[in-house]
Each structure stands twice: as structure tokens, then as C-alpha cells.
Amino acid sequence: MTIRTRFAPSPTGYLHVGGVRTALFSWLFARRHGGSFILRIEDTDLERSTPESVNAILEGMTWLGLEYDEGPFYQTRRFDRYNAVIDDLLNRGLAYRCDCSHERLSSLREQALRQKDKPRYDGFCRDRNVDANQPHVVRFRNPDDGAVSFDDLVKGPITVSNQELDDLIIRRTDGSPTYNLSVVVDDSDMQISHVIRGDDHVNNTPRQINIMLAMGKEPPHYGHVPMILGSDGARLSKRHGAVGVMEYMTAGYLPEALLNYLVRLGWSHGDREIFSLDEMIQLFDIGDVNRAPSTFNDEKLSWLNQHYLKEGDPLRIAHLLGSHLGRLGIDPAEGPELVDVVKAQRERAKTLEEMAEISTFIYRDFEDYEPNAAKKHLRPVARVPLETVRAALSSQDEWNPEALHRLIDEASGRLELTMGKVAQPLRVAVVGRAASPGIDETLFLVGKAACLRRIDRALDYIRQREMAG
């Protein structure tokens, strides 16, 4: 069998992380089996579909590196094909026109709910000869007897009686095809062998199989992936935080971290947590996907992202960090080499955004000292150590971490103080807080002129404290 999978999002909003996980599972399945992965834009909802949403889908797929072999295909460009299939079904008596009013349909629904039945169309127009020139919809004539059975790749065997299924609308009054018709035609025409999608579609599958069979086509294999939940047990949504994939890019997450996290949401390979993309392709099996929903955990994602920040190529991380500094109004060219910043900060940040924020001291003077740090370290007792180090730094020509480390070590020896007694006041003076990379790296990154300027400011601060008693 030639494996062909597809990702078919609707362009009615941002690219949701749940959709990305579905795309990833479909992509991995195709890649592992030497198949093809197709991108299809299901934009038949003309009122809600937007070009901006299409761009968000394409940008997200590009950022994640989920390259597609065919597409993107747009359903709005295939209306002639859908209408040809609908007309064929009408001609063969497998579909019919329906002009039931909204009031009649609402009454049917209300009656079913009162009787605690499942709302369904009663087939009133099945044998009526509705005028094709009058407003109407077209309904698929669902089989009356028998059942639809399929072996779900995730959930296992599923059987649904045809008596539970009603006659779906497959063409609206305005002439546009509906989702359940267009998706079946596309899957057939594009020779999709495996449909991997969210389990919110599982109720559509028996209906789509019946339409596929009415077309004389063999249905694909289906696998329905459980939904992703927020920490409160509700379906993951905007109120849980960032759920659009490009929001994670903006927040400074790496695509490999997000993919690694999403593949582990509902799938596992032993107790292993870290997977490269090549390892995912080698190991992924759709049959190993859990049937139960998964809960999104921001802390776990951040942990993975920090792993990839620490283990990734510093040059690549530096390239990505530049735009995050730019958002803070910082020109990275007006400072040290970005790769040196990355090497100094990658153990301290969980995202690129955080790395940029904790690196602002390198590029510009801070406004205020962190109160507790200043209170503890910028005391009168720190004045002489700071004056001693300042004098040494002012005459220091060799400005690199090794030389600066020796300078502070020698100053500490002359003062008969531990290195920490000198380094901590110096760190607060230069950074404004008690946490930073090693003091030698910190001084190197900040640069000579800024270090001397900030030490002078700290000495003024200490003198003011001395005067205040």
C-alpha cells in the first residue's frame, strides 16, 4: 500500500497546538512508512475563513519544519468537482433535494429532545420531487439498514448502526458544498490512505464512510487522536494561555522543543523524554497513541525548551536571540558577539524571550538596583574592594574572561578577602542584581567603559549610605 496522509485545517483562526500535534502524527506516519504528506486548506466556510488564517497555517508549518509533499490545496478552488459528485449522487437516487423550513427542522429537533432522542432529520423530503429552481438543500440518502464498522487506528473497532445516522446536508441553499461532502471527495481524489485527526471527528466518520461507499470508493483507514486538555481538565483553549503555534515562537520557544513536547502528549516510547525529529520518525507508531486525553503542561514544555537551548548550536540560538533583543529596543550589533551571550546565559533561561530579558544589562545601564541585593552587597564595607577592582580594571588592556578572572583573583588576594566578597559587590554594581553569569564573563560581556561607569555609580551609592549613617 502506498501511504498518503493529510493535514486539513480550516483557516478560521490561529494554528492551534492540538492541530499541530495531529499534523505531526500524520507527518511522522507518512515519513516512517516512506509515504507522502499532503496539506489541504479546508476553506469552504466562506464567512469565517480568512487569508490571515491561511498565512498563519503556512507560517506555522514552515517554522516547525513539517514540510509537505503536495499542496497546499484549497477546497474553494474545487467547487466544480464537488458539485459534479453531488449531481451524480442525485442522478443515482443517492441524494435528494430538501426544502424543509427552518421552523419545521427546529420543531423536529425540539420534539426529539423532549423525548430524549437523538435529533435527526426524518426523511420527509426523500420521496418528494422538490423543484430544483426553488431554494433547497441537497441531502445524502443514508442507508436505512445495516451498520458502519471500521477499525480505528487509535480507538480500536467501532460500529455504528445506520439507523442512528440521519440524511446529511451535502450542499447548502447557496450552492456551496458542506464539510462532510468535500472532505470525502478530497480524500478520495487525493488517494489518502490514512486519515489521522482529532477525535472530535469520530462521529463524522461513519457518515463519511457511507458517502465514500456511495461514490464507489474504498474508504481510507481512520485514526482519531484524543483531545488535549488544560490543567483544569477542560479542552485546551485560549483561556489557558498561548495555544497558537506562532505565539510559542514569539515567546521564544524552539520548534524542536514544541515538536518533542507534542509528540509525547499521548504517545510514548518507554520512559524516554527527548527525541530528535529523526528519532521520532524511526520510533513513532500510531498504534501506541493513548486513547485517553492528555493534559498540557507548560512547565514540561519549558523544561524541554531549556534542554534544547543548552544543547543546541550556539550560533543558531544566537541568530534566533537577535530578534528577541530587537523587541526590547536593543541593537545586538552594539554589544558583544551574540554567540558569547548565548553561551553565558543558556543555562539560566527557559526561553529565548527570557534569555533576552536577563541579558539587557549587557547592552544598557539598568535604572535601579534590586533592593535586597543592594542592601546586602553595596554596604560601606564594599567600598574599598570596589575601588581596588576599579583601579585595576581601568588599566586593564586585555579584556577577556581569563584575564579578568586573574585580575579579580589578584585583587582579592591583596585585600585578603575571599573572591566572593569581591565578586558579589562587583556583580551588583555592574548588573544591578545578585544573579548573573560568572563575574569574569559578566565583565567581559558588559565591556570596559560600561563596567567603570557602573562601578562609579555604585561607589556614589555607597558614599550616600555612609553619609546617611
Side-chain angles (χ1 to χ4, degrees), residues 346-365:
R346 58 185 173 178
E347 299 276 348
R348 300 173 171 273
K350 293 181 179 178
T351 66
L352 288 165
E353 185 176 59
E354 183 183 2
M355 186 181 291
E357 289 171 351
I358 65 173
S359 300
T360 55
F361 75 89
I362 297 171
Y363 299 91
R364 60 190 178 207
D365 292 352

Side-chain angles (χ1 to χ4, degrees), residues 94-107:
L94 298 175
Y96 60 93
R97 298 179 181 89
C98 169
D99 62 358
C100 286
S101 66
H102 176 73
E103 289 75 20
R104 181 178 189 279
L105 296 175
S106 295
S107 177

Side-chain angles (χ1 to χ4, degrees), residues 135-294:
H136 68 274
V137 299
V138 175
R139 291 182 181 272
F140 173 70
R141 186 186 289 266
N142 196 76
D144 295 318
D145 303 316
V148 181
S149 296
F150 62 100
D151 192 4
D152 193 283
L153 299 168
V154 176
K155 296 179 175 294
I158 294 176
T159 298
V160 178
S161 169
N162 276 319
Q163 293 184 347
E164 294 183 32
L165 307 175
D166 60 357
D167 292 350
L168 284 175
I169 295 174
I170 57 176
R171 184 159 64 197
R172 302 179 183 91
T173 306
D174 65 3
S176 63
T178 61
Y179 162 78
N180 278 298
L181 183 283
S182 55
V183 71
V184 170
V185 176
D186 286 346
D187 286 343
S188 173
D189 288 358
M190 297 174 188
Q191 299 180 313
I192 301 301
S193 65
H194 293 76
V195 173
I196 299 171
R197 58 187 178 184
D199 66 359
D200 53 333
H201 286 288
V202 72
N203 290 332
N204 289 326
T205 301
R207 297 172 168 86
Q208 293 173 7
I209 288 175
N210 278 338
I211 296 174
M212 185 80 73
L213 293 173
M215 292 173 58
K217 302 295 183 179
E218 182 73 22
H221 300 280
Y222 292 91
H224 293 91
V225 180
M227 68 179 65
I228 301 175
L229 305 178
S231 56
D232 58 357
R235 183 170 182 172
L236 189 67
S237 66
K238 197 74 173 175
R239 64 189 176 85
H240 293 106
V243 291
V245 63
M246 298 310 286
E247 291 180 72
Y248 287 97
M249 184 192 77
T250 302
Y253 288 87
L254 299 175
E256 56 266 38
L258 185 58
L259 290 175
N260 191 156
Y261 179 70
L262 290 176
V263 80
R264 285 287 286 109
L265 269 184
W267 174 83
S268 60
H269 185 75
D271 296 327
R272 188 170 171 181
E273 296 288 352
I274 308 296
F275 296 89
S276 69
L277 211 52
D278 287 341
E279 290 168 334
M280 291 184 210
I281 293 171
Q282 178 187 354
L283 299 171
F284 181 77
D285 187 335
I286 188 66
D288 291 336
V289 173
N290 296 333
R291 298 182 182 183
S294 302

Side-chain angles (χ1 to χ4, degrees), residues 97-137:
R97 298 179 181 89
C98 169
D99 62 358
C100 286
S101 66
H102 176 73
E103 289 75 20
R104 181 178 189 279
L105 296 175
S106 295
S107 177
L108 276 178
R109 178 178 177 80
E110 290 169 4
Q111 181 180 345
L113 292 174
R114 281 196 304 271
Q115 296 173 351
K116 297 184 179 179
D117 291 334
K118 185 177 181 180
R120 59 196 299 272
Y121 182 62
D122 62 355
F124 177 74
C125 290
R126 271 190 165 199
D127 299 313
R128 294 177 64 231
N129 188 19
V130 174
D131 188 345
N133 296 315
Q134 297 301 314
H136 68 274
V137 299

Side-chain angles (χ1 to χ4, degrees), residues 29-44:
F29 188 86
R31 290 292 175 264
R32 182 179 183 192
H33 296 286
S36 298
F37 176 67
I38 292 92
L39 177 62
R40 189 168 75 218
I41 306 297
E42 297 191 339
D43 54 350
T44 55

